[in-house]
Amino acid sequence: MPTPAPTVRRAVPRDANDLYELSLRAIEVSAAAHYTSGQRAAWSRRRSLDGHLWMITETAAFVALDEGRVAGFATVALRPVDRLCRGEVDQLFVGPEHGGRGVARLLLETVEEAARADGVTELVTHASWRAAPVFERLGYLRDEVETVHLDDQTLGRVRMRKPLS
């Protein structure tokens, strides 16, 4: 019997711990080929349970489930909030054990549907080197390379856009 495809639902506050732990695993394992251990450690220190709870309550946050397990998550700001602009895809994480199963594609398609339904005309993201190719495959265009300073580390990423016309 074929393995069922992953499904997506809206995130709820009780998901915060699972999303927090998944993001740490993804940074440590999936991003290892793109960032040094020092860079990954600085990035991980910016993650928190409270931050994931905030993301769930203040943005449109979606959770992918693969055989009942949290496989990934993504968020989009449907209104300006804190440092996010309307249409900003702020988070996209897939657990290392779920890579290559279409989870990121499913999450980004769900984000796009939610944004379109809310009248958003363009999506923007600041993608890690690990995530940038995924966004590109789904029609995002590279805008500019950016650097982020975290503690004593400098990380590269790329600003990307996708018109929703």
Side-chain angles (χ1 to χ4, degrees):
M1 180 188 317
T3 304
T7 59
V8 175
R9 65 166 168 76
R10 195 74 183 248
V12 294
R14 73 175 177 274
D15 293 322
N17 192 63
D18 288 339
L19 304 189
Y20 169 63
E21 290 178 1
L22 182 144
S23 70
L24 293 177
R25 283 194 323 275
I27 290 167
E28 188 54 37
V29 177
S30 302
H34 304 276
Y35 297 97
T36 68
S37 61
Q39 290 170 322
R40 294 191 318 275
W43 186 1
S44 291
R45 284 191 295 274
R46 293 288 192 257
R47 312 297 299 177
S48 72
L49 182 57
D50 286 344
H52 285 76
L53 185 58
W54 178 89
M55 160 188 84
I56 290 167
T57 59
E58 298 298 324
T59 69
F62 300 95
V63 176
L65 301 172
D66 189 9
E67 297 183 10
R69 294 180 38 214
V70 174
F73 67 95
T75 67
V76 62
L78 297 178
R79 61 181 170 78
V81 58
D82 194 27
R83 70 191 194 304
L84 304 176
C85 66
R86 177 171 159 81
E88 187 165 343
V89 180
D90 185 45
Q91 305 284 316
L92 174 63
F93 283 93
V94 174
E97 61 279 9
H98 297 282
R101 300 212 45 216
V103 172
R105 173 181 290 280
L106 185 59
L107 284 164
L108 288 176
E109 287 171 349
T110 303
V111 159
E112 188 173 324
E113 289 171 18
R116 282 181 192 278
D118 202 69
V120 173
T121 59
E122 181 180 62
L123 295 174
V124 63
T125 193
H126 304 271
S128 70
W129 293 126
R130 169 68 182 97
V134 174
F135 282 98
E136 267 183 332
R137 283 193 296 274
L138 294 174
Y140 286 73
L141 305 171
R142 291 182 183 229
D143 234 4
E144 67 179 292
V145 172
E146 302 174 319
T147 56
V148 179
H149 302 283
L150 304 177
D151 302 331
D152 62 343
Q153 300 291 315
T154 301
L155 285 76
R157 66 183 188 186
V158 62
R159 179 181 168 90
M160 303 180 84
R161 295 180 176 276
K162 181 176 184 178
L164 297 181
S165 54

